Amino acid sequence: MFYNQIAMDWLQKLALLSQDDGLEVDAEPNPGSEALPVCHPARTTQTTTRLLDHISHVTLQGGRKIPVLKVLLTSVCEYNCAYCPFRVGRDFRRATFQPEELARAFLQIYNAGLVKGLFLSSGIAGGGIRTQDRLIATAEVLRNKLGFQGYLHLKLMPGAEPAQVERAVALASRVSINLEMPGNQYLEHWAPRKVPQSRMLEPLQLAHQAVLNQQYRSIRRWISLTTQFVVGIGETDAELLQITAHLYRQLGLSRVYYSPFRPIEDTPLEDHPAENPHRALRLYQASFLLRDYGFSFDELPLNPDGRLALEVDPKMAWAQRYLTHPLEVNRASREELIRVPGIGPKSALAIIRARRLFRLRDLRQLRQLGVNVERAAPYLLLDGRQPARQLTLTF
Ligand code: SF4
């Protein structure tokens, strides 16, 4: 039995190091979907020695999902972020792996076919630079000593040096740094020992440059950059989406994660209410409008208080405000089509290909091309005519 091959103390250590170090979602909600993003295991102080409880799923570029072991190198942390279960002084049992110990244990799990990758982070012990060195040392063992070629997500630590960032990019499939909050006013309040936001952005800028250099030199085909924000401790959607737009446009991030705040006992925010997961869903949908649909920050349908409406998705909210004249499907550009609710990048492309061959005249054709016609019909003209709104008719 596989579990017998892994020392029990290793499993117990893993349990102590997997108490929800982060909450990146594995779902990719689309701008019209009401499905809530699926979060990884809830923040908890419970430990479990069942290995499967420490495996999460990650969505890769292109939509493929893979199981990954998500683990900290150490749950010791000298910082005091108010929302975090690992903050210094909080009373719970902590554990630390040595880099080679973790690399070898992970490889056993990988070779047993239970996971296809590793997501490696750490509490900050001995400063950001030393912690980054230990993360890189683990990756070096995996890649260079043990020959691991699979998915490897490495965290960048606040204060990491340029050479460390470059090395991390050379070793990893994905690198990330948790920006956590959309401005210094929040960081100073809730994460006072973290470096200012401008210094946290530096590693991402360096990583972006390193990725470009590697791609230019054709060393690796695809390396992604991501970050994560905690949502629900005072910030507005406008603040989050403004920095999100910057991260997508200027730093080439492939994904920004929004983690709805949940209170943790024995922290300064233990009585703060949990954030509504629907808010994170709307943020994801708005961030995809920025990333994939050509929207600028100024075009997002934010309310005067800087919030997105919870009851309607942002693409539909934008269309209700601004798409006042229906769009002729047979003439509209790709950029115009993908702004219509119910039409995404794939269905827009299918429309453009189809109309080279024949004129589009009814909703049935659009449906066959992947359009959500119930959402799209009010905003479209088909061959000069507004389609019938009774869409249940013939489908
Ligand atoms: S740096 Fe802050 S968020 Fe990160 S592990 Fe330490 S206390 Fe938690």
Side-chain angles (χ1 to χ4, degrees), residues 106-180:
F106 163 74
L107 207 69
Q108 283 189 59
I109 299 172
Y110 175 77
N111 286 338
L114 293 175
V115 293
K116 293 205 178 304
L118 175 65
F119 179 175
L120 183 59
S121 185
S122 181
I124 298 177
I129 293 173
R130 182 169 179 272
T131 306
Q132 191 71 62
D133 268 343
R134 288 166 49 76
L135 289 169
I136 289 171
T138 311
E140 298 272 14
V141 174
L142 268 174
R143 291 285 197 227
N144 299 331
K145 202 164 172 181
L146 304 178
F148 172 65
Q149 296 295 318
Y151 175 87
L152 175 60
H153 180 165
L154 276 184
K155 278 280 174 207
L156 298 176
M157 295 290 112
E161 291 185 322
Q164 292 179 309
V165 174
E166 237 178 84
R167 193 65 200 135
V169 169
L171 291 163
S173 321
R174 170 173 285 184
V175 294
S176 63
I177 185 165
N178 287 0
L179 294 177
E180 309 281 31

Side-chain angles (χ1 to χ4, degrees), residues 21 43 72 74-88 121-124 157-158 178 180 190-191 194:
D21 59 311
R43 290 174 194 266
L72 298 173
T74 179
S75 55
V76 174
C77 190
E78 60 211 23
Y79 284 21
N80 60 348
C81 306
Y83 45 84
C84 179
F86 302 110
R87 69 194 306 271
V88 66
S121 185
S122 181
I124 298 177
M157 295 290 112
N178 287 0
E180 309 281 31
W190 301 122
K194 283 207 169 176

